[in-house]
Amino acid sequence: MSLIPGLAHAADPAPAPAKGHGLAAPDVEQDLAEARGSKSFASPADRTEPAARKAKAAGSAQVPAADPDYKVGLKAVTTSAHGIALTSEITAESNRSLDVVIDWGDHGQEGYNTPGSDARTTQHTYGEVGTYVITVNVADAVTGTSVKNTVTVTTDGSEFTPYNPTRLLDTRDGTGAPKAGKVAPYASTRVKVGGYGKIPAGVTAVALNVTVTNTNSGGHVTAFAAGTTRPTTSNLNYEPGQTVPNLVIVPVGADGYVELYNGGWESVDLIADVTGYFTRSAASGYTAIGPARHVDTRAGLGVRKGQIAGYGTFSATIAGAGWVPYGATAVALNVTVTNPKDAGHLTVYPSGKAAPTSSNLNFSGGQTVANSVIVPIGADGKIKIRNGSWKGTDVIIDVVGYYSPASQAAYVPFQPFRRIDTRDPNSWKYGPLQGRWYIYMKLSTAYPSVKAFVMNTTVTNPKDTGFLAVAPDPNSKEAYDGGWANPPGSPSSSTLNFTPGKTVPNLVQASTGNYGIVDVFNESDRNIDVVVDVFGLYDDF
């Protein structure tokens, strides 16, 4: 995705950073290979079926009728969101020429000839994610015999279906839980996703806005697929008395559930609102765009100039505006509140629908806070934004990508891994990220088809007010290795905003740009600690 080179920034751009550090270890390609893995499928040679014997042409050499003396076994593995590598293992008792035809199950075919036994791997890319039956036919023209074998494969990639924002869990009143009650410290609560409402069973991942509230101590929340090992990563961090939301894109367990783990000393209430889900069937792929500012109430961009009044609502045209085409089903945003006159929350929802009870971000008076949002687009091409505060606030909306049936990039979720933690000398030897410095992370040099990564960025221990920006690097790996890279200019938009001593997380769908390198900028004058956790990627073939 030329996705999010950053999000909304409420202040003036900072000067370009003078210096940067490269992240050399751990080996991201090894981390990616282990996290991403591959799925395998097989149909052994003993499942080979003889096909009908063909009639011989008049005058052809007569060969005694015989059963086929050859078989074919099939092994397949996923190689990308849309890709499959098929190994056809032919065993034959003679060295007669055999004709092999592979039918990929999507109207695509290819063939080759082999003299007797052979093992050959063939690559194929499907136009749409999904499940396909591959058939391999092997024929002996001399005897007029043929055999076949089939294997059913499912691509790695998943496509997105938007869902009207709906509350799946609220421990305060028992919604989606056995009973009302806080989640105990170091314990999990389960959220039913697959099979809920119109969400089908078999979903691979879900977009949830998760909120922690009624906190009495500090801690973090981790979302993960039920039935899997809880990762060491976190999705959001909280402090005593805070209400903190964050968007998560999390795999769904085989039983259709997601678990939310409270990694804090005391009990908390948790809320989860669904805005869409991913399945391994054709729906909406993803297209990233450079962050495009659609709304800024401070300047009158996309809306009447001036703060949105308390409990006021406004519409923003998305489809057909800027780079988002008509036919887009959902939009990926970064939404920022700044200059609020009082505490409150913001709710983003599709036009033509009633405002849900869910919130996308919460704020206090005078706070600047951002959050990622994925929201369905209304039939009229618009979304709505509601200010759930008694008093006015400014709102900034940056569009960073959209989902549509014509978009190609499919999502591949995997077991999350921590890419960097500046507090940990085993992952980062330089200590806190200095003010006006940046880190360049080589993320996808071995995967040229990868367009973006889904990551969670967290700033902790900040010593000053500022913002974190995430953007693709304009330099290549070779430029950095050769020492002739030019420091990139500072992004004018932010991923998250922070104040001294506060821990702030935000989801990032980070573009890999042209070279697979993603930068993290500290746009403040003093040190911060940065944590980056990687949850999945978007792949276009």
Side-chain angles (χ1 to χ4, degrees):
M1 311 176 188
S2 292
L3 217 131
I4 125 178
L7 303 162
H9 173 38
D12 293 328
K19 297 181 180 179
H21 285 306
L23 183 58
D27 183 351
V28 70
E29 303 303 352
Q30 180 178 340
D31 287 345
L32 273 178
E34 292 176 355
R36 182 172 182 164
S38 63
K39 296 178 180 64
S40 59
F41 315 88
S43 183
D46 59 14
R47 295 184 185 176
T48 301
E49 300 177 1
R53 196 182 308 276
K54 296 180 180 180
K56 287 194 171 295
S60 63
Q62 297 299 311
V63 176
D67 291 329
D69 62 354
Y70 48 93
K71 296 180 179 180
V72 57
L74 305 178
K75 296 178 181 179
V77 296
T78 56
T79 58
S80 64
H82 296 256
I84 293 287
L86 174 71
T87 300
S88 304
E89 298 180 342
I90 299 170
T91 54
E93 296 180 8
S94 66
N95 291 326
R96 287 193 303 272
S97 176
L98 299 173
D99 295 315
V100 182
V101 176
I102 303 172
D103 185 329
W104 293 102
D106 63 348
H107 306 295
Q109 289 189 345
E110 56 189 292
Y112 58 89
N113 180 269
T114 178
S117 296
D118 181 69
R120 190 171 306 192
T121 299
T122 312
Q123 305 275 347
H124 185 70
T125 301
Y126 289 99
E128 289 285 357
V129 299
T131 298
Y132 298 89
V133 177
I134 301 174
T135 303
V136 176
N137 287 277
V138 183
D140 182 346
V142 174
T143 62
T145 59
S146 63
V147 299
K148 68 176 182 179
N149 199 352
T150 62
V151 62
T152 301
V153 300
T154 301
T155 58
D156 256 353
S158 299
E159 294 196 349
F160 184 74
T161 299
Y163 201 84
N164 193 49
T166 303
R167 183 143 293 173
L168 300 185
L169 174 75
D170 190 337
T171 61
R172 299 170 301 179
D173 60 16
T175 298
K179 60 180 181 179
K182 287 186 171 184
V183 180
Y186 307 113
S188 296
T189 186
R190 286 161 54 86
V191 183
K192 182 176 176 60
V193 177
Y196 175 90
K198 295 183 179 179
I199 302 175
V203 294
T204 57
V206 62
L208 295 174
N209 201 68
V210 177
T211 303
V212 60
T213 190
N214 298 325
T215 59
N216 296 313
S217 68
H220 67 272
V221 175
T222 298
F224 62 102
T228 66
T229 301
R230 174 172 54 86
T232 58
T233 54
S234 63
N235 295 92
L236 60 89
N237 300 70
Y238 60 85
E239 297 178 1
Q242 276 192 320
T243 295
V244 181
N246 198 18
L247 182 69
V248 305
I249 299 177
V250 57
V252 178
D255 62 357
Y257 281 82
V258 166
E259 294 203 26
L260 301 179
Y261 171 79
N262 171 25
W265 289 92
E266 297 187 49
S267 299
V268 299
D269 278 311
L270 292 176
I271 304 163
D273 303 307
V274 62
T275 61
Y277 58 87
F278 294 83
T279 58
R280 288 192 178 96
S281 56
S284 291
Y286 188 81
T287 295
I289 59 177
R293 185 146 294 179
H294 269 50
V295 170
D296 189 338
T297 61
R298 303 170 302 177
L301 176 65
V303 68
R304 180 181 57 83
K305 185 177 181 179
Q307 291 198 328
I308 305 305
Y311 294 103
T313 300
F314 70 94
S315 297
T317 300
I318 299 296
W323 294 96
V324 182
Y326 293 107
T329 58
V331 62
L333 309 170
N334 202 74
V335 180
T336 301
V337 164
T338 191
N339 306 319
K341 304 304 183 186
D342 199 359
H345 65 272
L346 213 66
T347 300
V348 186
Y349 59 101
S351 178
K353 301 289 185 180
T357 57
S358 58
S359 64
N360 295 96
L361 58 86
N362 297 68
F363 53 86
S364 55
Q367 184 183 23
T368 296
V369 59
N371 198 22
S372 292
V373 175
I374 297 175
V375 61
I377 299 173
D380 60 357
K382 298 180 180 180
I383 60 172
K384 288 192 171 184
I385 299 90
R386 181 176 184 269
N387 174 20
S389 170
W390 288 100
K391 297 182 180 180
T393 185
D394 281 308
V395 177
I396 304 164
I397 298 177
D398 290 339
V399 176
V400 299
Y402 63 87
Y403 298 89
S404 77
S407 300
Q408 287 299 307
Y411 184 59
V412 180
F414 45 66
Q415 183 74 0
F417 66 90
R418 182 147 290 176
R419 180 65 181 117
I420 183 174
D421 185 343
T422 59
R423 302 167 301 179
D424 180 4
N426 292 320
S427 116
W428 179 254
K429 66 181 180 179
Y430 301 104
L433 180 60
Q434 296 170 262
R436 310 301 172 187
W437 281 55
Y438 72 100
I439 299 170
Y440 56 92
M441 301 184 295
K442 302 168 186 175
L443 286 179
S444 65
T445 52
Y447 295 97
S449 66
V450 176
K451 300 305 179 187
F453 284 88
V454 174
M455 307 189 299
N456 208 66
T457 54
T458 303
V459 167
T460 191
N461 304 320
K463 308 301 182 186
D464 196 3
T465 298
F467 70 93
L468 188 80
V470 180
D473 196 301
N475 299 290
S476 66
K477 175 180 179 294
E478 291 73 22
Y480 277 111
D481 291 344
W484 45 272
N486 293 316
S490 171
S492 60
S493 55
S494 66
T495 299
L496 58 86
N497 298 72
F498 53 81
T499 55
K502 300 295 185 181
T503 297
V504 185
N506 199 9
L507 182 82
V508 183
Q509 303 205 79
S511 169
T512 57
N514 295 323
Y515 300 106
I517 299 175
V518 177
D519 296 335
V520 177
F521 298 83
N522 174 12
E523 295 298 350
S524 74
D525 290 324
R526 300 184 67 187
N527 293 354
I528 62 173
D529 279 310
V530 178
V531 181
V532 177
D533 298 322
V534 183
F535 293 88
L537 54 83
Y538 287 93
D539 200 346
D540 70 355
F541 69 81

